[in-house]
Each structure stands twice: as structure tokens, then as C-alpha cells.
């Protein structure tokens, strides 16, 4: 998740990438996305993989996939993820993501593990987090 | 968490990178002291600090502490603490960490805890970190958890993907066993989340062990059937905008693509499923929301992939093609893109090839009107895939049309495709026509004042073989052909010169009348005593051969080259290489499958669309980019292959950048300690004028070279515009990091031995003196390298030659006679005063060389126009050699003093 200023708000790697390479990679990826107009498709061929991206206000969510994935399914998975965030944070904003990095990580881990979809059902995705919140309250 | 909020706000308010780093370092010191402090931190504080560290890590800063604290959190009994510990580890710890043993210990305890939440956390951690040590510790345990009857659904989901990870990391540690059949039955699980996770696992396992998992086919089909026929509300939370379980459907369809079409019974059921999916896509939408149609289309595209993969149901294939055809004009760019991509694979099926062809006009239209280059690229791919004998002419014509305006990123690919299609379908030509045509065309192209070295190569080869076919025309008589080629000789690199020498000896056979001229050339010191051993040897051998051999022997030895052996087209190989290795196998396989094709070899080789990628900016145009970099290195075995096929990747072409292939690379291993590292940046600029002089009369070559880096150039200019390809070659075996030329960004990492290319567009706004400077920074073995080189962009590059008669010339010469318009320089010759070389240099300089204009035939005169954005400046020049005194007098007359001055300076350096 990167905003329009190119600041990464969340990154998750399912293959090991050196830290210094991550910053460069992220910068290049967002540059690719920002340079596109609304007339262009949401899929960008980038190096050996494809970027699928979706923009929500000033925030881009970009997923790098290889040829084993279905572009449209990933494109819609992004939306499902955003809807889950929206449900949990009730009207999610970039600030929610920044201030609750751990929460966002938990949500993502419930949906995608090791690069594969685990769960798409919203209430089941949020269940562990709600338990956690309840415990934190007590 | 107020502290976290304050910290994040602070970071956001930082005005500069320095301020940000300062603030981060302060925070890191603070957290470090808290972790090291005596006071035990409460759960809340730990969580706060870990969140801060995650945020700092996200900003690109390495976190080198806190790992132990995180590991300690793992053994906490509180969910919140344990959770934050696992989060820290799965985000921040890489698989080589020394802490893995401790982490493994904690995981083992949590797996044994029978607490589903703790088990879930532990499994997530394995799935995300997935090191070899973890595989060793848990590969036996995970399958048991996965198939145990009493395991909770959520734990099963995590366990499935965890096992997938371990199988990918260490397949040897995950042997197939009793559990495999039980895993397959997870496809029947009533919980769709479990089925989703299991399908990913099974798909990967089935690819490697198809036999063990073949029962998954019928299970997947019945599962899919239940999903697609369910009412849109049946699956409750797994229904996404009225589409039942779209992601699971996609996964099941993907799994089925691991296998050939199933047995008839299952096959009927599957066909029904696929028909239902196709039908549903045609139904009026159940929701106006785009999510609804996106999810539906995701399933549709996957179903079509499977139909194409099976390639056995003509009805389905044609239906798929028609439905994709509707998308070609859809207002959603995403759909147009995906439809073109899918159709590309459909074109390779004999059942749907004709159906795809009916969309040709739409696709051609897409090529012309699409605003998105990636969509246009897909359109090019599709045209290529649908091309056959019936439409080759139209498609090639459209591609050539498009080429003129195509984006640079895809031009090369288009050229290659056109070449392949032409090679394949141009059956009407008789060979003699083609050979004569080729000779004539290349002869004409060689007339251009400055031609690319590759053209000289191609020209040398073709004229050497078939020059006789055009020799009857007095305009291309043997001597003219020879002189034309030889006028380029001195400006060419060694491999090209070697090739030209072979052309000359071929001429001796083709044209006995110019034998003595050629022998004179071969006999000259510059050939017989050439410092390059390959050139010298050729000169000696060819001279001797031409002297002692009888006409018959010559005719036998120098016979026309036999037709190239039947083998894979080198152009095709080039295209495949661009597409990456994965496609190569695809093409190969498809080719094999198609070998029994109805049309013989007429079928176009399909390109698997899903693997097609835009060439990265570093991709070398035609792979010939390395040619100008070829320095005076000997090219031992190269000459033969260059003769045979100029497009092939002969080793010599690539050799200069292969580490260790040359003596000057020998020292690359101890570079780190050599003085190159501390090279003063100023030095490079200082010497640069000499470098620039090298490029005044030519456009290609090595601009700069030290022990680390070689910079090569290829450039072309037209009127006031230019384009320069800059090739950065890493001569070492180590990566360059943060590689940043000031021109524009390139891939910041340049691997050892690799070459990065960039294209720079140039515009001449007005006349100028100074060449632009290229600054390059990169990190090599920890040291920052700084380099500045002048780019050889000089005023004369914007010359357009002008032909004129003697009368016109002197009339204009007189008109430009005011002292401010004329600049003259008398100087000593720095090089041998060779007429042919001088001519070539004047042409290379950019002006026209006007023959028979000056009353004194020893003099050279030239004329041309310098194009700038604002004005055009007519230029006349005259060079008068004085052989006795070894001096030249150069006179430049233009309408602008500064231009006369600059051109005179530049050209004077050349002689």
C-alpha cells in the first residue's frame, strides 16, 4: 500500500527480498502506477511479473503476481481486502492503516498466507482480531 | 497508543530526509534503551515499541535489535503478546536468522498446545518464514495436523498453506504418503475456506506428482459444479456480489489445468460447468456494481483458460472466442486487455483459429486507437498469433504501419515479429528475385552518408554473395560496389572489418576485373601489418589465395554459401529470449504439438500470452547493442558465424562484456583495492574532449571505459532531433548498486557482467558549443563511484547533407564572404592523408561531399544545413590538403560566426 507521495504504508513480501532492494522496488513500482492514466488498464508488466493495482483515494494497493494467478481475481481480491478494512475500521483511511499497522497485518495474514488466498469470508477474516480486541480491553 | 501516534506524526512532519533519519535514530535509541532497561515492559509498551519498529522498518531502515525480545514474547501465554511477537518475527526475521532454533521451539509448543488460536499463529509464522530449519522441524508434523479429524477449520486452512510453503522450500522433506489421499478429500470439505486453501496446496503438489493426485480431478469437478449451479445466495458469506465463491472457482479451474481432459463421465459434467459459466457471463447482471461483473469475469477468464488448455471441445472454443470478441470493444480497459491476452492463446487452437481471425479488423483498430501501450502490445501479440497465409499480407502491412508510431519499448518486438511472419509466409518470391532485390536494396542503403555498422555487415555479406546480380547496372558496377564498401571499412570495428575482408576475396572470384584493386588493398600495410591478428591473417591468406589459386580453385573455394541448414530461425530465438525462458518451453511444446498440423508449417507459432512481457528498458534492441562495444579484442572463432548469420548471438558479439573473457578483466577480482575506486571524478571530464573527438564523425562506439564500467553509444540524428542509446556495461563480477545516470533513471542494480541500456532523446534548440555532461553514480563494493563524461553531442550531428552543383556552390560561397561568416584554420595533419578516409570523415561529419565541384580535384568541398529548433543554418566547407607540407587548410562559411567557428574546431580535430 503506497500513497500518492510514494510513501509505503504497508508492504508484505512472500519471497525474501533484501531490505535495500525493497525500497528501490517499492519506489519503482509506485512510479509505474502513478504514471498511468485512468484510460490504462490495471495490469502492468514489470520485470518477470505482473503488477495488479487499484487506487482508493490517494492510496494505491499494488500486488505483484506471476503467471499462475488470475489478474481479475487478484484485482477483486484487493477490493475485498479494502472492504474488510473498511468494515473493521468503519470507513478506513490512510491514517487508520498507519496507526494500526499490526491490525492491518493481522487482517492480511488472515486473508493471504504465503501468497495464497486463505479466506475471503469477511466475518471469518475478522474473527481472530475481534477476539484479540476483546482480550486487550480486559 | 499515543506514543506511536506522536512518533508517526513527527515523521510525517519531517521536512527533509535528514530530519526523518534523525528522528528515527532518536526513536531507535529510545526503544533500545527501553528494551535493555531493567524495568520489565508491560504488554502494552512492548506492543507499542514493536509497532514503532514495524513502522521504521517499513520506511526502509534495518532493525538490528528487538529480535530476542520478540522471541521472548512467543512464549507468553497472553494472546496479545504472543501475537505481536509472531508478527515481529514474520515481518522482520528472515529465514537465515540465528534465532530460528529458539523460534522453532516456541512454535513447537504452540502447535502442541491444542489452542487453535496459538496453533494458527505458529502455522502463520512457518508459512511466512518457511526456512529449511523449519521444514526439518515440522515437515512431519504439519500433514498430520492438516488431515486430523479434530483439527479446527481455521487451523486446517493455515496448515495447508504452511505445508505448501515447506514443500516449496524443501520438497525433499515433504515426502508423499498416506496423507496425500486425505488431503485430496479436503476438496469435499464443507467449509469453503478449507477448500480454498487445500486447492492451492493440491495444485502445487499435483504439478510435481500428477499420479498421486489424479483423483482430485473428479472431486474438483463436482465441487465446481456445486458452486456454479448454486443459487446466488446459497453460499452465504462466500458469495461475493452475487457471484458464488469466485476465488475458489478460479482456483479449482486452475487445478484442473494441471491435467488433460478427464474421462468421458467426468468430462460431461465439466463441460456442463463450463457451459454454465459461459452462459452466466451472458446473462443480464444481477448487480450494477462493478465488483459483480469483475468477479464473474475472473471466473469466465479462468474457464476460458481451461477450455484452451484442454483444446478438445470445438464448441466451447468457438463460444469462448465469441464471448471474448464482445470484450474487445468493452469500455473497461481491463477487459479489453484480458480479452486480447486470452484470444492470443485461442488463436493457437486449430478449432478456434478461424473464429479468432474474424476479429482481425477490431484488433487492428485497437492497435490504432488504444490509449494504453500495454493493450496495444497485446493487440500486436494477437495479430501475430492469428496470422496465417490468408491474412499475412494485411497483418504485416498493419504492423509496419504501426511501427512508425509505436512506442520504443515494443518496436523491436514488432520488427522481430514482422521478420518472422515475412520469413514464414513470403512464399511467392523466387530466390533469385529475393537475392537480387536484397543486393539492390542493401546497395542503396549503403549510399547513405552515415550508416549503421550492422548495415555494413549485412551489406558486406550480401554483396559478397550476390553482388554479381546487380553488377550489370553501371551504377552498381563491381568497382563501385567495392569502393562503397571499402569507404566504410576504416570506420568499422574489427569483426566487421574481418567480414569485409572476406567479402573482398569473394569479389575476387565474382569480379576478376577488380582483382588487382583488391589485391592492392590487401597488400597495403594497414592490412598486411595490422595489429589485429585476425585481420592480419585474413589479409595474408586472402592475398596469397588470390595470387596462387587458379580461377577454378577460386571458384570452388569461394563458391556461393550453401542455403542455411534447416534450423530454428535466429530471429525466433531472439524473440523467445526476450520473452524469458518460460515461454521458450511453451513455444517449443506448442510447436511439437502442432507438428502434425493440417497446414503443414504454415501455422503461426503461437505466443503464450500469459507469459508475454514487455521488454524491460534494459533489453537490448535486437541484441546487437553489444556490437559497438566490441573493441579491438580479437574475435577468434567469431568470423565464421558472422558470415553465416549476422543475427545470431555469436559469442564474439557478447564477449567483451563476459567477465574473464579478456585479459583486461583479469584484474577485476582485486578491484576493490585498486586505485580505480578512488578515482577522482574530475579526471573523467577532463579527458572527455578527446573522447568527444572520437565521435565527431561517427555515431557508435565506446565512449568511456575503465576497469569497472564500459559505456557504449549508438546514436542517430535527423534534422534537429536525435536519439542516443547508451549502454552501461558492468565489467566486474559484482553488482553495481544505486546505479544512477543523470540522464534518466535506469534499473538501479546492474549485475556483474550485465549491460543496461537507456534511450535518450535529444533536441537541438539552438546552436551550441558545450556538450552535455553525463554524471553517473553507483555503488561498487561499498564505495561510491562518481563519474562524469561528456556526451558526444556536437553541433555537426544536426547536419543534413545538401547536394548542389558547382555553380550553386560557388555562388553561395561568394554570398557568405563577409569576415564574420568565414572561419579558417590551417593545421598540421595528425593522421595519414588518405583521400578515402578524408571523404568518409567529411561524410561522417554530416555534410554532403560534393564531387567535381572544386576545380582542384585534390580539394574536398561539402555542403549541408544545420537544423536547430529555431533556425536552419546553411554551411559550406572546403578542405585543401597540402601533401608535401602535410598540412590542411579548412574553411567554413556559414551565416553565423559562432557556427562557422564551432564546426571548424570540430572538423579540424579529425585530420
Amino acid at each position: 500500500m503506497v500513497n500518492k507521495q510514494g510513501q509505503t504504508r504497508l508492504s508484505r513480501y512472500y519471497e525474501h527480498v533484501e531490505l535495500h532492494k525493497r525500497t528501490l522496488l517499492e519506489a519503482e513500482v509506485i512510479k509505474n502506477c502513478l504514471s498511468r492514466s485512468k484510460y490504462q488498464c490495471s495490469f502492468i508488466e514489470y520485470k518477470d511479473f505482473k503488477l495488479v493495482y487499484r487506487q482508493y483515494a490517494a492510496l494505491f494497493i499494488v500486488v505483484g503476481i506471476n503467471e499462475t494467478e488470475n489478474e481479475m481475481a487478484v484485482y477483486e481480491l484487493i477490493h475485498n481486502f479494502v472492504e474488510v478494512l473498511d468494515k473493521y475500521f468503519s470507513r478506513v483511511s490512510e491514517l487508520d492503516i498507519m496507526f494500526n499497522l499490526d491490525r492491518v497485518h493481522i487482517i492480511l495474514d488472515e486473508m493471504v498466507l504465503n501468497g495464497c488466498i486463505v479466506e475471503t469470508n469477511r466475518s471469518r477474516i475478522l474473527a481472530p482480531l475481534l477476539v484479540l480486541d476483546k482480550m486487550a480491553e480486559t | 497508543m499515543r506514543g506511536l501516534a506522536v512518533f508517526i506524526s513527527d515523521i510525517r512532519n519531517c521536512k527533509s530526509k535528514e530530519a526523518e533519519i534523525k528522528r528515527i535514530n532518536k526513536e531507535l535509541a529510545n526503544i533500545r534503551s527501553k528494551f535493555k532497561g531493567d524495568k520489565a515492559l508491560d504488554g502494552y509498551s512492548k506492543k507499542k515499541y514493536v509497532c514503532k519498529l514495524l513502522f521504521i522498518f517499513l520506511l526502509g531502515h534495518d532493525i538490528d535489535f528487538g529480535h530476542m525480545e520478540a522471541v521472548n514474547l512467543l512464549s507468553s501465554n497472553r494472546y496479545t503478546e504472543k501475537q505481536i511477537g509472531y508478527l515481529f518475527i514474520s515481518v522482520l526475521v528472515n529465514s537465515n536468522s540465528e534465532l530460528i532454533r529458539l523460534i522453532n521451539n516456541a512454535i513447537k509448543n504452540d502447535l502442541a498446545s491444542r489452542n487453535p488460536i496459538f496453533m494458527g499463529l505458529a502455522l502463520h509464522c512457518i508459512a511466512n518464514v518457511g526456512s529449511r530449519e523449519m521444514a526439518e522441524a515440522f515437515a512431519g508434523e504439519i500433514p498430520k495436523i492438516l488431515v486430523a479429524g479434530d483439527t479446527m477449520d481455521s487451523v486446517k486452512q493455515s496448515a495447508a498453506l504452511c505445508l505448501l510453503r515447506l514443500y516449496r522450500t524443501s520438497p525433499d522433506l515433504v515426502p508423499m504418503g498416506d496423507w496425500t489421499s486425505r488431503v485430496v478429500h479436503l476438496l469435499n470439505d464443507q467449509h469453503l475456506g478449507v477448500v480454498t486453501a487445500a486447492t492451492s496446496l493440491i495444485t502445487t503438489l499435483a504439478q510435481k506428482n500428477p499420479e498421486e493426485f489424479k483423483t482430485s480431478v473428479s472431486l474438483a469437478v463436482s465441487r465446481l459444479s456445486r458452486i456454479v449451479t448454486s443459487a446466488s445466495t446459497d453460499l452465504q458469506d462466500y458469495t461475493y456480489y452475487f457471484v458464488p465463491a469466485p476465488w475458489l472457482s478460479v482456483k479449482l479451474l486452475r487445478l484442473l489445468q494441471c491435467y488433460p481432459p478427464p474421462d468421458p463421465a467426468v468430462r460431461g459434467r465439466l463441460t456442463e460447468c463450463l457451459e454454465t459459466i459461459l452462459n452466466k457471463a451472458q446473462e443480464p447482471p444481477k448487480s450494477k456494481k462493478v465488483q459483480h461483473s469483475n468477479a464473474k469475469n475472473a471466473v469466465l477468464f479462468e474457464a476460458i483458460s481451461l477450455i484452451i488448455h484442454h483444446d478438445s471441445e470445438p464448441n466451447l472454443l468457438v463460444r469462448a472466442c465469441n464471448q471474448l470478441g464482445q470484450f474487445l470493444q468493452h469500455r473497461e480497459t481491463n477487459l479489453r486487455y484480458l480479452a486480447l491476452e486470452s484470444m492470443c492463446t485461442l488463436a493457437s487452437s486449430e478449432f478456434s483459429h478461424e473464429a479468432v481471425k474474424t476479429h482481425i479488423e477490431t484488433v487492428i483498430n485497437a492497435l490504432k486507437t488504444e490509449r494504453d501501450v500495454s493493450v496495444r502490445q497485446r493487440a500486436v501479440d494477437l495479430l501475430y498469433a492469428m496470422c496465417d497465409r490468408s491474412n499475412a499480407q494485411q497483418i504485416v502491412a498493419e504492423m509496419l504501419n504501426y511501427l512508425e508510431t509505436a512506442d520504443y519499448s515494443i518496436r523491436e518486438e514488432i520488427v522481430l515479429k514482422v521478420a518472422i511472419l515475412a520469413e514464414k509466409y513470403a512464399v511467392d518470391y523466387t530466390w533469385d528475385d529475393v537475392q537480387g532485390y536484397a543486393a539492390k536494396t542493401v546497395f542503396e542503403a549503403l549510399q547513405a552518408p552515415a550508416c549503421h555498422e550492422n548495415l555494413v555487415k549485412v551489406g558486406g555479406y550480401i554483396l559478397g554473395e550476390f553482388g554479381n546480380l546487380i553488377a550489370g547496372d553501371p551504377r552498381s558496377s563491381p568497382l563501385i560496389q567495392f569502393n562503397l564498401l571499402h569507404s566504410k571499412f576504416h570506420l568499422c570495428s574489427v569483426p566487421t572489418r574481418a567480414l569485409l575482408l572476406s567479402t573482398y576475396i569473394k569479389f575476387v572470384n565474382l569480379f576478376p576485373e577488380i582483382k588487382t584493386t583488391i589485391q592492392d588493398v590487401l597488400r597495403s600495410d594497414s592490412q598486411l601489418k595490422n595489429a589485429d591478428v585476425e585481420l592480419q591473417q585474413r589479409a595474408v591468406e586472402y592475398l596469397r589465395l588470390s595470387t596462387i589459386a587458379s580461377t577454378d580453385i577460386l571458384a570452388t573455394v569461394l563458391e556461393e554459401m550453401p542455403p542455411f541448414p534447416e534450423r530454428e530461425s535466429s530471429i525466433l530465438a531472439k524473440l523467445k529470449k526476450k520473452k524469458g525462458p518460460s515461454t521458450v518451453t511453451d513455444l517449443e511444446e506448442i510447436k511439437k504439438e502442432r507438428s502434425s498440423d493440417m497446414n503443414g508449417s504454415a501455422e503461426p507459432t503461437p505466443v503464450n500470452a500469459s507469459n508475454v512481457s514487455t521488454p524491460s528498458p534494459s533489453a537490448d534492441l535486437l541484441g546487437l547493442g553489444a556490437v559497438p562495444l566490441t573493441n579491438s579484442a580479437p574475435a577468434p572463432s567469431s568470423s565464421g558465424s558472422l558470415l553465416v548469420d549476422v543475427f545470431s548471438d555469436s559469442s564474439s558479439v557478447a564477449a567483451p562484456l563476459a567477465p574473464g573473457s579478456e585479459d583486461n578483466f583479469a584484474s577485476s577480482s582485486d578491484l576493490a583495492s585498486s586505485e580505480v575506486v578512488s578515482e577522482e571524478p574530475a579526471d573523467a571530464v577532463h579527458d572527455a574532449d578527446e573522447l568527444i573527438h572520437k565521435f565527431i564523425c561517427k555515431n557508435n562506439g565506446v565512449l568511456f571505459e575503465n576497469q569497472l564500467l564500459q559505456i557504449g553509444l549508438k546514436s542517430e540524428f535527423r534534422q534537429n532531433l536525435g536519439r542516443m542509446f547508451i549502454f552501461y556495461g558492468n565489467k566486474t563480477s559484482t553488482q553495481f548498486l544505486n546505479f544512477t545516470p543523470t540522464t534518466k533513471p535506469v534499473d538501479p542494480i546492474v549485475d556483474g557482467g550485465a549491460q543496461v541500456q537507456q534511450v535518450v532523446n535529444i533536441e537541438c534548440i539552438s546552436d551550441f558549443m558545450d556538450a552535455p555532461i553525463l554524471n553517473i553514480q553507483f555503488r561498487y563494493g561499498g564505495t561510491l563511484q562518481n563519474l562524469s563524461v561528456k556526451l558526444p553531442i556536437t553541433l555537426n550531428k544536426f547536419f543534413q547533407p545538401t547536394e548542389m552543383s558547382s555553380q550553386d556552390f560557388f555562388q553561395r560561397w561568394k554570398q557568405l564572404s563577409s569576415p564574420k561568416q568565414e572561419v579558417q584554420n590551417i593545421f598540421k595533419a595528425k593522421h595519414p592523408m588518405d583521400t578515402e578516409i578524408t571523404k568518409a570523415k567529411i561524410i561522417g561529419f554530416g555534410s554532403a561531399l560534393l564531387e567535381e565541384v572544386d576545380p582542384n580535384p585534390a580539394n574536398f568541398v561539402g555542403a549541408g544545413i544545420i537544423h536547430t529548433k529555431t533556425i536552419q543554418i546553411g554551411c559550406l566547407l572546403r578542405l585543401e590538403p597540402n601533401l608535401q607540407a602535410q598540412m590542411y587548410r579548412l574553411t567554413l562559411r556559414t551565416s553565423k560566426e559562432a557556427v562557422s567557428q564551432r564546426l571548424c574546431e570540430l572538423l579540424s580535430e579529425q585530420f
Side-chain angles (χ1 to χ4, degrees), chain B residues 727-840:
Chain B
F727 305 88
Y728 303 97
N730 179 347
K731 288 171 52 175
T732 73
S733 49
T734 316
Q735 274 187 345
F736 292 164
L737 301 174
N738 301 345
F739 189 84
T740 16
T742 41
T743 35
K744 53 182 178 179
V746 294
D747 190 337
I749 295 167
V750 185
D751 286 325
Q755 196 189 67
V756 174
Q757 176 193 325
Q758 82 174 164
V759 187
V760 180
N761 289 316
I762 302 153
E763 185 179 9
C764 178
I765 308 288
S766 66
D767 61 289
F768 63 98
M769 300 287 287
D770 292 333
I773 292 180
L774 166 69
N775 292 307
I776 300 156
Q777 266 197 0
F778 60 94
R779 213 163 252 293
Y780 170 75
T783 321
L784 191 66
Q785 303 286 327
N786 240 321
L787 194 80
S788 300
V789 193
K790 277 193 185 170
L791 283 178
I793 300 168
T794 46
L795 189 55
N796 66 297
K797 298 292 178 196
F798 305 98
F799 241 134
Q800 290 289 296
T802 322
E803 292 292 340
M804 54 177 78
S805 66
S806 175
Q807 198 190 344
D808 284 348
F809 181 84
F810 283 106
Q811 194 184 340
R812 286 181 207 196
W813 185 260
K814 279 181 200 129
Q815 282 165 2
L816 296 168
S817 57
S818 89
K820 285 201 163 173
Q821 293 168 327
E822 185 193 275
V823 173
Q824 196 167 74
N825 187 17
I826 298 171
F827 56 94
K828 199 138 185 83
K830 288 191 281 280
H831 303 285
M833 296 174 79
D834 180 314
T835 308
E836 285 312 313
I837 297 182
T838 306
K839 282 185 182 171

Side-chain angles (χ1 to χ4, degrees), chain A residues 41-42 45 50 83 119 124, chain B residues 191 238 241 337 341 378:
Chain A
C41 64
S42 316
E45 279 131 47
K50 229 179 226 182
E83 285 195 356
E119 186 56 77
R124 286 181 45 92
Chain B
H191 188 303
Y238 287 92
Y241 289 91
Y337 173 94
E341 193 180 63
R378 291 287 85 89

Side-chain angles (χ1 to χ4, degrees), chain B residues 559-780:
Chain B
E559 202 182 354
E560 192 177 296
M561 292 291 281
F564 293 142
E566 269 306 316
R567 54 163 189 176
E568 204 195 353
S569 153
S570 63
I571 317 174
L572 197 58
K574 202 112 235 165
L575 185 66
K576 283 183 192 177
K577 214 173 112 192
K578 289 176 65 64
K579 306 271 179 180
S582 53
T583 332
V584 178
T585 45
D586 287 349
L587 278 163
E588 218 77 87
E589 278 162 19
I590 298 170
K591 235 180 163 179
K592 264 180 237 153
E593 284 170 26
R594 291 274 165 276
S595 55
S596 59
D597 191 8
M598 318 182 286
N599 297 337
S601 62
E603 200 70 11
T605 307
V607 175
N608 186 333
S610 63
N611 290 322
V612 173
S613 62
T614 314
S616 78
S618 60
D620 186 355
L621 284 177
L622 264 180
L624 292 169
V627 170
L629 294 184
T630 314
N631 48 25
S632 55
S637 61
S638 67
S639 8
S641 57
L642 276 170
L643 262 177
V644 172
D645 185 354
V646 284
F647 285 102
S648 74
D649 279 321
S650 79
S651 57
S652 75
V653 173
L657 282 178
S661 66
E662 277 180 59
D663 289 346
N664 54 340
F665 293 114
S667 60
S668 62
S669 54
D670 52 43
L671 269 180
S673 57
S674 80
E675 69 263 32
V676 175
V677 175
S678 58
E679 188 170 73
E680 289 295 317
D683 283 350
V685 188
H686 198 73
D687 301 335
D689 276 338
E690 265 174 51
L691 291 170
I692 283 210
H693 292 145
K694 247 176 55 185
F695 282 86
I696 289 175
C697 293
K698 61 171 189 170
N699 289 326
N700 305 332
V702 177
L703 173 65
F704 171 85
E705 183 158 13
N706 66 12
Q707 282 170 282
L708 304 178
L709 177 71
Q710 187 186 53
I711 306 175
L713 293 182
K714 267 206 289 191
S715 42
E716 46 191 276
F717 296 87
R718 197 196 211 153
Q719 303 197 328
N720 72 318
L721 300 176
R723 190 163 58 226
M724 185 173 267
F725 296 84
I726 309 179
F727 305 88
Y728 303 97
N730 179 347
K731 288 171 52 175
T732 73
S733 49
T734 316
Q735 274 187 345
F736 292 164
L737 301 174
N738 301 345
F739 189 84
T740 16
T742 41
T743 35
K744 53 182 178 179
V746 294
D747 190 337
I749 295 167
V750 185
D751 286 325
Q755 196 189 67
V756 174
Q757 176 193 325
Q758 82 174 164
V759 187
V760 180
N761 289 316
I762 302 153
E763 185 179 9
C764 178
I765 308 288
S766 66
D767 61 289
F768 63 98
M769 300 287 287
D770 292 333
I773 292 180
L774 166 69
N775 292 307
I776 300 156
Q777 266 197 0
F778 60 94
R779 213 163 252 293
Y780 170 75

Side-chain angles (χ1 to χ4, degrees), chain A residues 13-124:
Chain A
Y13 289 78
Y14 298 101
E15 268 169 30
H16 181 65
V17 179
E18 296 290 342
L19 185 60
H20 67 270
K21 286 192 186 167
R22 291 187 184 197
T23 345
L24 292 169
L25 177 73
E26 286 163 20
E28 225 174 283
V29 163
I30 186 65
K31 206 180 74 198
N32 264 305
C33 294
L34 283 172
S35 67
R36 301 189 48 105
S37 72
K38 62 177 173 164
Y39 305 114
Q40 296 189 273
C41 64
S42 316
F43 319 118
I44 309 175
E45 279 131 47
Y46 176 81
K47 296 194 173 160
D48 293 342
F49 47 97
K50 229 179 226 182
L51 304 176
V52 177
Y53 72 94
R54 221 164 157 155
Q55 188 181 356
Y56 294 90
L59 203 63
F60 282 87
I61 300 184
V62 194
V63 184
I65 57 170
N66 62 13
E67 74 287 344
T68 64
E69 296 292 334
N70 175 312
E71 291 97 335
M72 201 45 113
V74 172
Y75 182 74
E76 221 32 55
L77 184 70
I78 295 176
H79 188 73
N80 196 16
F81 174 55
V82 173
E83 285 195 356
V84 176
L85 291 179
D86 207 55
K87 186 171 172 189
Y88 180 73
F89 291 109
S90 48
R91 297 187 68 86
V92 65
S93 73
E94 190 180 333
L95 289 181
D96 290 321
I97 293 161
M98 290 172 71
F99 292 124
N100 299 283
L101 256 188
D102 58 327
R103 296 304 200 246
V104 182
H105 269 292
I106 295 174
I107 293 176
L108 186 59
D109 276 355
E110 288 298 325
M111 292 185 73
V112 176
L113 205 52
N114 181 25
C116 298
I117 300 177
V118 210
E119 186 56 77
T120 57
N121 171 332
R122 270 167 245 167
S123 35
R124 286 181 45 92

Side-chain angles (χ1 to χ4, degrees), chain B residues 345-386:
Chain B
T345 41
L346 269 179
S348 65
S349 162
E350 58 179 289
F351 301 118
S352 49
H353 184 75
E354 288 303 317
V356 172
K357 274 166 64 185
T358 61
H359 298 284
I360 183 165
E361 297 301 333
T362 319
V363 182
I364 287 173
N365 198 42
L367 202 57
K368 292 176 177 164
T369 56
E370 274 294 347
R371 287 191 264 191
D372 183 350
V373 53
S374 8
V375 184
R376 291 197 295 274
Q377 161 104 57
R378 291 287 85 89
V380 172
D381 288 345
L382 178 52
L383 284 179
Y384 176 76
M386 67 162 75

